[in-house]
């Protein structure tokens, strides 16, 4: 027997009240001889035994009634032998990460895990609640048949996902169901890189299954980078491989083969090229197929075209002139009228790299120029005092720069989205939008250390070639399913197989399929989103059952490699029958008997 609310058992102490009342009713007093009633003594002696028995019975009935009510309030349940299993909240976690698409024994590991999931879910009854949670965070609920269908049609995710978060979510679902039994089952390939931190599901039992077969050998492309991201038109491709021995590779650009070769174990290669293609192009580095196909191809994107032509205003400052000269000499920029580089008050057109005026008197002219150019930012009062720059993820090179003079930037009304590339003192310092980049300080050592910083020239190259060039943009490398902000001025995403995906809102979720996706403004490519799996997902080394149990860090975890043993441990909680109603009925009968005996005694007394 168990109790759902055992605290109410303390109310059973109230059973002492009828006992105390019974003891206090014993009569005591002086004995007085009264001749007129001596004839009653004999009758009293005859009935005294019956009275004592009746009073004792009343006391026992009252004590029993209090105990039965307290016991019913504690909601007792008894477990029944046989007759199936107790109603259970069952959450099944299915590992559909990239590593489970590896072929072992002639079929993908994921198919084996799906078979185990369906076997377990079929044993659930219509009275159970079931869910399927996949490694990519998708939750399938509803009827058992709907969850079975979801398990049968689960597809491999393009990356690692988050198995720990999926298991924690399953625990929350199981705990939230008001059912007598709760269980979580994790079906995984046991990849060592998927399990790091301990996991706690509270009082929910955790059953983990991993295949007994060893992981296959694997080779993979674990890193690819175009150097630089804008080729003018020369550039290079750097790639790194993971292989147990040598492997044949191929490098392509828009489907055309740039190079072939053989890479030795853990080798990094560097290919220099000057292709005829122009504009944004998608490339790949490929290996021969093996048991895990998802990491044999890695994608990159590169912009190929002439160097941006920059018109530098004389008042931009000596440091701006020196940096631009360095880019021109290296072939990364040229002199022309494509992009303006000037103080805001001197700017007349976009695209432009705009810097704050050195003279505060010109702030009014600068704000009028911003309004005329359609830029939704305005300069405010000067802010003096040293502050440290904190840059966004895409411009980490600005970290460590200090600012002594800046003008407060305020956002004017307008529908256009903007990006804050760097902040100083917690306020926007470098902002960007369609065809403009705005710096809230003059590029002078008295205002900021930025012109003296080693990152100044690379940053200027990125802004000119990626942000401000006619078909420029920033290639963003992400993992499948990653959340990221939508770049300003981007309307849609061009898919690798053709077609477009319209974008809205401030954020977007990276596709689950690896590939090169291009940002679109209208019909023009203005950047790239490159989706590749995590390099760690190519390491197929598996944990032993004991090692996995240690990493899980919970005493309630049972790890199996045998499907029969797994099935024998799941959905085994015995059915439970509540005793609340029977106890209340017995208590009612007890009180009714007490009432009848009391009424009979009063009638006799009358």
């Amino acid at each position: 027997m168990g109790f759902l609310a055992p605290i109410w058992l303390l109310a059973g102490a109230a059973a002492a009240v009828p006992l105390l009342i019974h003891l206090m009713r014993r009569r005591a007093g002086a004995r007085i001889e009264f001749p007129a009633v001596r004839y009653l003594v004999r009758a009293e002696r005859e009935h005294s035994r019956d009275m004592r028995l009746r009073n004792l019975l009343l006391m026992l009935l009252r004590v029993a009634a209090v105990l039965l009510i307290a016991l019913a309030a504690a909601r007792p349940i008894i477990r029944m032998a046989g007759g199936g299993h107790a109603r259970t909240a069952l959450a099944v976690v299915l590992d559909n990460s990239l590593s489970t698409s590896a072929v072992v024994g002639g079929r993908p590991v994921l198919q084996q895990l799906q078979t185990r999931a369906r076997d377990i879910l079929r044993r659930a009854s219509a009275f159970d609640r079931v869910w399927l949670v996949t490694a990519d965070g998708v939750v399938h609920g509803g009827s058992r048949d709907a969850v079975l269908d979801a398990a049968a049609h689960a597809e491999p995710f393009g990356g690692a996902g988050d198995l720990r978060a999926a298991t924690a979510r399953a625990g929350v679902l199981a705990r939230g169901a008001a059912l007598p039994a709760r269980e979580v089952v994790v079906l995984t390939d046991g990849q060592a890189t998927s399990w790091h931190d301990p996991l706690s599901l509270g009082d929910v039992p955790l059953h983990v299954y991993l295949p007994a077969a060893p992981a296959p050998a694997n080779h993979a492309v674990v890193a690819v980078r175009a150097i630089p991201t804008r080729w003018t038109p020369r550039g290079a491709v750097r790639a790194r491989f993971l292989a147990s021995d040598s492997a044949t590779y191929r490098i392509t650009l828009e489907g055309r083969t740039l190079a072939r070769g053989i890479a030795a174990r853990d080798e990094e290669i560097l290919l220099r090229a000057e292709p005829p293609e122009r504009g944004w192009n998608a490339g790949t580095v490929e290996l021969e197929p093996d048991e895990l196909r998802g990491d044999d191809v890695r994608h990159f994107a590169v912009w190929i075209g002439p160097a941006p032509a920059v018109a530098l205003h004389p008042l931009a400052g000596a440091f701006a002139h020196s940096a631009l000269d360095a880019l021109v000499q290296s072939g990364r920029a040229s002199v022309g009228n494509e992009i303006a580089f000037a103080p805001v008050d001197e700017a007349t057109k976009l695209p432009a790299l705009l810097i704050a005026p050195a003279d505060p008197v010109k702030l009014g002219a600068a704000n009028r120029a911003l309004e005329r150019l359609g830029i939704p930012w305005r300069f405010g009062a000067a802010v003096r005092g040293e502050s440290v720059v904190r840059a966004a993820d895409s411009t980490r090179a600005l970290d460590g720069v200090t600012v002594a003079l800046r003008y407060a930037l305020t956002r004017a009304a307008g529908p256009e989205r903007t990006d804050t590339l760097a902040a100083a003192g917690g306020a926007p310092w470098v902002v960007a939008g369609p065809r403009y980049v705005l710096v809230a300080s003059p590029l002078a050592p008295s205002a900021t250390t930025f012109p003296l910083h080693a990152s100044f020239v690379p940053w200027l190259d990125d802004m000119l070639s990626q942000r401000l060039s006619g078909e420029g943009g920033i290639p963003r490398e992400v993992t499948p399913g990653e959340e990221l902000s939508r770049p300003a001025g981007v309307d849609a995403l061009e898919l690798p197989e053709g077609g477009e995906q319209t974008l809205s809102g401030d954020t977007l979720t990276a596709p689950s399929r690896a590939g090169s996706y291009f940002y679109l403004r209208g019909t023009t490519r203005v950047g790239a989103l490159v989706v590749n799996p995590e390099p760690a997902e190519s390491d197929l080394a598996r944990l032993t059952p004991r090692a996995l149990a240690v990493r899980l860090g919970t005493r309630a975890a049972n790890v199996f490699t045998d499907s029969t043993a797994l099935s024998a441990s799941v959905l085994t909680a015995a059915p439970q029958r509540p005793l609340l109603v029977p106890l209340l009925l017995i208590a009612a009968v007890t009180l009714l008997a007490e009432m009848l005996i009391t009424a009979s005694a009063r009638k006799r007394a009358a």
Side-chain angles (χ1 to χ4, degrees):
M1 178 184 290
F3 298 93
L4 299 180
I7 190 66
W8 284 100
L9 291 175
L10 297 177
V17 175
L19 179 61
L20 292 174
I21 293 175
H22 176 78
L23 294 175
M24 292 173 63
R25 290 186 61 187
R26 296 179 61 183
R27 292 180 297 175
R31 184 179 181 87
I32 302 175
E33 295 289 341
F34 189 54
V37 294
R38 287 178 181 176
Y39 70 94
L40 297 175
V41 173
R42 183 178 178 180
E44 182 181 358
R45 289 174 179 173
E46 292 176 355
H47 296 287
S48 61
R49 184 176 180 180
D50 293 339
M51 294 174 62
R52 286 195 299 268
L53 290 175
R54 185 173 62 249
N55 290 338
L56 180 61
L57 180 58
L58 287 173
M59 181 198 70
L60 292 176
L61 289 174
R62 291 162 181 165
V63 170
V66 173
L67 290 176
L68 288 170
I69 293 173
L71 194 62
R75 299 179 63 188
I77 55 174
I78 58 172
R79 300 184 183 277
M80 310 295 293
H85 61 270
R87 292 188 65 195
T88 303
L90 175 65
V92 178
V93 179
L94 179 63
D95 184 356
N96 66 331
S97 60
L98 177 64
S99 62
T100 63
S101 63
V103 177
V104 177
R107 62 173 182 161
V109 174
L110 179 58
Q111 289 186 10
Q112 304 176 37
L113 301 181
Q114 288 174 299
T115 300
R116 300 285 83 78
R118 293 197 300 272
D119 290 344
I120 292 171
L121 291 169
R122 286 193 188 101
R123 293 178 52 206
S125 70
F127 301 100
D128 298 322
R129 291 196 63 185
V130 293
W131 299 271
L132 180 75
V133 186
T134 51
D136 52 345
V138 179
V139 178
H140 303 273
S143 67
R144 187 193 68 166
D145 291 341
V147 178
L148 271 168
D149 184 69
H153 292 90
E155 296 183 354
F157 187 56
D162 193 337
L163 268 177
R164 187 182 182 281
T167 306
R169 177 70 181 277
V172 171
L173 292 171
R175 285 195 302 272
L179 294 181
R182 297 166 291 181
E183 294 182 271
V184 171
V185 179
V186 178
L187 307 169
T188 176
D189 61 356
Q191 187 180 24
T193 56
S194 297
W195 303 98
H196 299 287
D197 301 325
L199 182 68
S200 175
L201 301 183
D203 59 348
V204 179
L206 174 62
H207 310 282
V208 183
Y209 171 81
L210 62 159
N218 184 44
H219 61 233
V221 187
V222 294
V224 174
R225 185 183 178 190
I227 306 174
T229 53
R230 179 186 177 111
W231 292 0
T232 57
R234 295 186 302 276
V237 177
R238 188 185 300 276
R240 184 165 57 87
F241 304 96
L242 173 67
S244 56
D245 51 16
S246 61
T248 302
Y249 68 85
R250 182 171 79 111
I251 301 177
T252 71
L253 190 67
E254 290 295 325
R256 182 177 64 85
T257 300
L258 288 182
R260 294 180 182 270
I262 298 178
R265 179 178 180 178
D266 297 333
E267 181 183 1
E268 182 176 88
I269 63 168
L270 180 66
L271 169 70
R272 300 187 183 279
E274 189 175 344
E277 288 85 356
R278 292 295 181 266
W280 278 106
N281 290 269
T284 63
V285 178
E286 306 171 1
L287 290 176
E288 296 175 324
D290 65 351
E291 285 74 10
L292 180 60
R293 289 292 295 118
D295 60 0
D296 295 338
V297 178
R298 204 163 187 89
H299 302 266
F300 67 93
V302 61
W303 197 95
I304 306 174
V310 182
L312 181 62
H313 194 277
L315 296 180
F319 290 94
H321 282 270
S322 298
L324 184 59
D325 286 343
L327 293 177
V328 171
Q329 292 175 13
S330 63
R332 304 291 303 150
S334 62
V335 177
N337 293 315
E338 179 186 346
I339 301 171
F341 186 179
V344 178
D345 55 300
E346 299 291 342
T348 58
K349 67 172 186 175
L350 297 180
L353 175 57
L354 305 171
I355 56 177
D359 189 350
V361 175
K362 297 182 178 180
L363 286 183
N367 285 331
R368 288 191 294 273
L370 291 172
E371 183 178 5
R372 184 175 62 255
L373 295 172
I375 297 175
W377 290 96
R378 300 293 182 267
F379 287 119
V383 179
R384 301 183 185 276
E386 186 172 296
S387 57
V388 179
V389 172
R390 292 289 179 264
D393 292 339
S394 59
T395 52
R396 282 295 179 191
L398 273 65
D399 279 345
V401 170
T402 60
V403 176
L405 169 64
R406 61 183 174 86
Y407 298 101
L409 283 175
T410 57
R411 179 77 158 80
E416 299 87 359
R417 290 190 63 254
T418 60
D419 297 329
T420 298
L421 305 184
W429 184 61
V430 180
V431 296
R435 306 179 70 215
Y436 73 88
V437 174
L438 177 62
V439 183
S441 295
L443 292 180
S446 59
T448 174
T449 61
F450 190 30
L452 306 175
H453 201 271
S455 64
F456 181 54
V457 174
W459 175 85
L460 182 60
D461 183 20
D462 288 343
M463 295 301 103
L464 295 176
S465 63
Q466 297 180 13
R467 285 272 178 184
L468 300 174
S469 179
E471 295 184 35
I474 298 176
R476 179 74 182 273
E477 296 185 10
V478 297
T479 57
E482 183 177 336
E483 297 287 335
L484 64 152
S485 59
R486 180 168 67 95
V490 171
D491 307 317
L493 200 63
E494 182 182 332
L495 307 180
E497 64 274 12
E500 300 177 5
Q501 175 186 337
T502 302
L503 300 179
S504 60
D506 294 335
T507 62
L508 64 96
T509 301
S512 60
R513 177 184 165 192
S516 294
Y517 301 77
F518 293 101
Y519 290 126
L520 297 178
R521 182 183 300 134
T523 59
T524 304
R525 291 178 174 180
V526 292
L529 182 67
V530 182
V531 182
N532 283 308
E534 299 86 340
E537 195 65 9
S538 298
D539 183 0
L540 300 184
R542 294 177 179 174
L543 295 170
T544 64
R546 181 180 180 85
L548 180 55
V550 171
R551 289 204 182 182
L552 289 172
T554 173
R555 290 178 293 178
N558 301 305
V559 183
F560 303 92
T561 58
D562 180 70
S563 58
T564 303
L566 173 69
S567 298
S569 67
V570 179
L571 296 174
T572 57
Q576 298 175 347
R577 176 169 295 177
L579 298 179
L580 174 64
V581 174
L583 288 174
L584 289 177
L585 289 175
I586 296 173
V589 171
T590 302
L591 291 173
L592 179 61
E594 189 271 345
M595 292 173 59
L596 293 175
I597 294 173
T598 302
S600 176
R602 289 177 179 174
K603 185 176 181 180
R604 288 184 180 182

